[in-house]
């Protein structure tokens, strides 16, 4: 059973460009969570999604950031007009149906904004 | 949610038991204790969780005091691969799915 997959693993964007981060949950998992880890800082929750629904986006910056988890395909975290402060590791996690704190994390996407 | 306090760092000799403490003196009756770890730059990994009874799985044991104000994660035979940051997280089960990570304990297993 493949684990949570994230791609790309490394992404370099210039200021003002868009970044799209993809997350494929584990087979059978319908809940996806995104977390961000800024350099030398802890992990911060961003958003929690089920298929086609955003359940909790309390950790998402109000502007430029959006997330989706369509009926088919991976979950996407989209950052528009990136700035240097968006440089971080972005981790996706998944869990089976139901509120579940046993979350399985992917390897992360390292975003560097130049 | 209850706040947790963990020592910022600990050392352990390879092959010895690593005992990682966590204080959660304001924990409520319906809050669980979860442990995760993050090996350098990798995604966090779930280890174990418990409510009030001691728990054991293939990775670790979790000892929760009778008053539930503190707990200890035990790695019975630490290896170099156990070097990581360990996070103790207290969760109220109806709060939604998010995990709130603190600073954790950086465990260094030395040969």
């Amino acid at each position: 059973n493949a684990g949570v997959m994230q791609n790309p693993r490394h992404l370099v964007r210039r200021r003002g460009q868009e970044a799209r981060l993809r997350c494929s949950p584990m087979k059978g998992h319908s809940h996806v969570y995104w977390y961000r880890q800024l350099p030398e800082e802890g992990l911060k929750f961003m958003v929690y999604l089920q298929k086609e629904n955003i359940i909790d986006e309390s950790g998402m910056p109000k502007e430029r950031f959006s997330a989706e988890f369509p009926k088919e395909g991976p979950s996407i975290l989209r950052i528009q007009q990136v700035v240097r402060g968006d440089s971080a590791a972005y981790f996706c996690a998944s869990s089976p149906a139901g509120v579940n704190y046993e979350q399985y994390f992917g390897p992360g996407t390292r975003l560097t904004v130049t | 949610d209850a706040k947790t306090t963990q020592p910022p760092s600990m050392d352990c000799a390879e092959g010895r038991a690593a005992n990682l403490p966590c204080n959660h003196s304001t924990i409520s009756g319906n809050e669980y204790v979860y442990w995760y770890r993050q090996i350098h730059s990798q995604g966090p990994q779930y280890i174990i969780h418990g409510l009030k009874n001691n728990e054991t799985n293939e990775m670790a044991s979790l000892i929760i005091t009778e008053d539930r104000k503190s707990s200890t994660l035990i790695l019975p035979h630490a290896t170099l691969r156990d070097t990581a940051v360990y996070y103790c997280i207290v969760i109220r089960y109806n709060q939604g799915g998010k995990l709130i990570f603190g600073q954790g304990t950086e465990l260094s297993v030395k040969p």
Side-chain angles (χ1 to χ4, degrees):
Chain A
N1 189 7
V4 176
M5 297 172 64
Q6 291 188 248
N7 66 79
R9 295 290 305 276
H10 300 274
L11 182 62
V12 179
R13 285 286 178 267
R14 285 198 287 270
R15 278 179 297 169
Q17 291 185 319
E18 179 179 287
R20 281 186 180 237
L21 288 62
R22 293 175 196 78
C23 169
S24 296
M26 286 181 69
K27 187 176 180 181
H29 287 192
S30 57
H31 295 230
V32 164
Y33 316 80
W34 286 92
Y35 296 82
R36 177 167 70 171
Q37 189 167 33
L38 294 166
E40 307 304 322
E41 293 192 19
L43 288 143
K44 304 289 186 192
F45 167 80
M46 299 182 75
V47 63
Y48 165 31
L49 311 103
Q50 294 177 29
K51 286 282 186 181
E52 300 183 280
N53 287 305
I54 296 175
I55 306 303
D56 180 355
E57 57 182 347
S58 58
M60 285 275 272
K62 294 287 185 284
E63 296 177 352
R64 300 186 298 108
F65 285 73
S66 63
E68 63 177 9
F69 189 17
K71 188 176 179 181
E72 302 290 339
S75 175
I76 306 286
L77 180 67
R78 183 181 177 208
I79 311 171
Q80 295 178 288
Q81 300 175 322
V82 295
V83 300
R84 288 223 171 101
D86 297 332
S87 295
Y90 292 82
F91 293 98
C92 164
S94 73
S95 68
V99 175
N100 196 316
Y101 300 97
E102 291 179 43
Q103 296 177 11
Y104 296 84
F105 283 77
T109 293
R110 269 82 184 162
L111 173 65
T112 301
V113 179
T114 62
Chain B
D1 294 326
K3 284 194 172 180
T4 61
T5 304
Q6 298 179 254
S9 63
M10 291 182 63
D11 289 341
C12 177
E14 189 178 19
R16 298 291 199 129
N19 297 290
L20 294 98
C22 179
N23 284 322
H24 31 78
S25 58
T26 59
I27 194 170
S28 301
N30 61 349
E31 290 182 318
Y32 288 72
V33 180
Y34 273 71
W35 283 83
Y36 276 78
R37 72 180 181 183
Q38 185 177 25
I39 297 170
H40 179 63
S41 298
Q42 297 181 20
Q45 178 186 23
Y46 165 79
I47 301 173
I48 199 168
H49 75 278
L51 181 62
K52 50 185 170 184
N53 297 321
N54 298 337
E55 302 288 345
T56 295
N57 63 20
E58 65 279 1
M59 286 184 69
S61 295
L62 174 60
I63 308 297
I64 303 175
T65 58
E66 195 168 338
D67 63 7
R68 305 208 323 123
K69 292 183 185 300
S70 66
S71 60
T72 301
L73 178 75
I74 301 172
L75 307 178
H77 305 287
T79 71
L80 299 178
R81 287 193 301 269
D82 292 320
T83 292
V85 179
Y86 287 76
Y87 297 96
C88 168
I89 305 172
V90 171
I91 298 171
R92 190 173 66 248
Y93 230 69
N94 61 352
Q95 77 170 42
K98 61 187 173 190
L99 296 169
I100 299 175
F101 292 86
Q103 295 306 306
T105 295
E106 187 168 2
L107 175 69
S108 296
V109 180
K110 300 184 184 298

